[in-house]
């Protein structure tokens, strides 16, 4: 019984790290645009369904690209509804809500109600009595690696400085030469990319179905709140902003 509890706890931690990939863009968008992209969870489901339908490494790559493509479309629609300094967070959030239901219907139509899951490994590791799939280790390594790289980009790159500037004062950042709409667009696409990777990883472990998109979004949003909207320092630490233009 104790080993089963430890095993489920470990699986929960591995899934939580993967969901963290979806929580980061939610935090970034909230800090820079005062709104939430509710379609990030459906991006993940779309990526998982596409990867399973096509199969192999090419399926996983195309799954991530499908999620990125969906985020690009949502970004174009949302950016037409808002301008730097004149954000309409409710309108843009509702737009992503509609996109979430569209993507859910798209996956249902093309894949059906079947479980979207694949077990690439038939063998398991046994560590102190806990059965661990090698895929779980891969998921954790990929998720932690991506989060580490993303943290470095946000805090030690021109894009990170531009993002902090846009989060603190969109109008002032625009006057200082920071391309606010480009930053916003990049955050949307980043959300699609991270959600796509998360969807492929989840598909290879716990699995999902067509209706879980908004559930993933809510889980990621809860994680972002629980951990203080991960990059809260974007809106606090203003010391590096003097070099926001490069």
């Amino acid at each position: 019984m104790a080993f089963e509890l430890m095993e489920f706890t470990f699986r929960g931690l591995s899934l939580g790290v993967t969901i963290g990939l979806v929580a980061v863009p939610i935090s970034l968008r909230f800090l820079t645009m005062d709104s939430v992209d509710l379609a990030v969870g459906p991006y993940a489901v779309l990526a998982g369904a596409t990867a399973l339908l096509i199969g192999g490494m090419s399926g996983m790559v195309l799954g991530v690209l499908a999620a990125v493509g969906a985020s690009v479309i949502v970004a174009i629609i949302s950016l037409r509804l808002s301008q730097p300094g004149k954000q309409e967070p409710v309108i843009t959030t509702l737009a992503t809500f509609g996109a979430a239901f569209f993507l859910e219907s798209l996956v249902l139509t093309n894949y059906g109600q079947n479980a979207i899951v694949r077990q690439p490994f038939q063998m398991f590791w046994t560590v102190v009595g806990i059965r661990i799939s090698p895929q779980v280790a891969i998921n954790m390594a990929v998720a932690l690696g991506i989060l580490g790289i993303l943290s470095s980009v946000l805090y030690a790159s021109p894009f990170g400085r531009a993002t902090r500037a846009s989060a603190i004062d969109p109008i002032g950042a625009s006057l200082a030469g920071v391309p606010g709409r480009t930053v916003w667009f990049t955050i949307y696409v980043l959300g699609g990319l991270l959600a796509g990777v998360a969807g492929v990883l989840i598909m290879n472990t716990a699995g999902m179905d067509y209706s879980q998109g908004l559930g993933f979004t809510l889980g990621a949003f809860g994680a972002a709140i629980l951990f203080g909207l991960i990059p809260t320092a974007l809106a606090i630490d203003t010391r590096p902003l003097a070099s926001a233009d490069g």
Side-chain angles (χ1 to χ4, degrees):
M1 182 67 179
F3 285 132
E4 290 181 359
L5 180 60
M6 292 174 62
E7 184 174 349
F8 284 126
T9 300
F10 185 81
R11 289 181 181 179
L13 288 173
S14 66
L15 180 60
V17 171
T18 309
I19 293 295
L21 293 176
V22 184
V24 172
I26 286 179
S27 300
L28 287 174
R29 179 169 171 179
F30 182 81
L31 289 170
T32 56
M33 302 178 66
D34 294 325
S35 63
V36 178
D37 186 355
L38 297 176
V40 289
Y43 298 156
V45 175
L46 175 64
T50 302
L52 186 60
L53 280 172
I54 297 175
M57 182 61 66
S58 59
M60 291 188 283
V61 172
L62 290 175
V64 174
L65 291 178
V68 171
S71 69
V72 168
I73 295 174
V74 172
I76 292 173
I77 295 173
S78 296
L79 289 177
R80 289 183 64 88
L81 300 175
S82 60
Q83 298 177 0
K86 297 181 180 180
Q87 298 100 319
E88 295 291 345
V90 174
I91 294 177
T92 55
T93 300
L94 288 176
T96 65
F97 188 65
F101 274 103
F102 174 80
L103 292 174
E104 180 178 299
S105 299
L106 180 66
V107 173
L108 175 62
T109 301
N110 290 277
Y111 187 78
Q113 301 181 21
N114 299 321
I116 303 171
V117 61
R118 178 175 62 192
Q119 298 293 337
F121 294 96
Q122 299 301 319
M123 59 174 292
F124 291 84
W125 298 331
T126 301
V127 181
V128 294
I130 303 175
R131 296 174 70 249
I132 301 174
S133 169
Q135 183 64 42
V136 171
I138 293 173
N139 287 12
M140 295 188 71
V142 171
L144 292 175
I146 291 176
L147 290 174
I149 293 172
L150 185 59
S151 296
S152 299
V153 170
L154 289 175
Y155 291 100
S157 72
F159 171 73
R161 292 190 289 270
T163 302
R164 291 198 297 275
S166 297
I168 295 169
D169 185 357
I171 296 178
S174 180
L175 293 175
V178 174
R181 295 181 72 81
T182 300
V183 171
W184 290 4
F185 182 83
T186 304
I187 290 173
Y188 272 102
V189 176
L190 181 63
L193 175 62
L194 295 180
V197 173
V200 171
L201 295 179
I202 294 172
M203 181 272 296
N204 281 324
T205 47
M208 63 188 80
D209 60 45
Y210 78 95
S211 64
Q212 282 188 268
L214 286 175
F216 288 148
T217 298
L218 294 176
F221 190 65
I225 293 175
L226 182 63
F227 292 99
L229 287 172
I230 297 168
T232 298
L234 294 176
I236 298 176
D237 184 4
T238 60
R239 290 172 295 176
L241 296 183
S243 57
D245 57 351

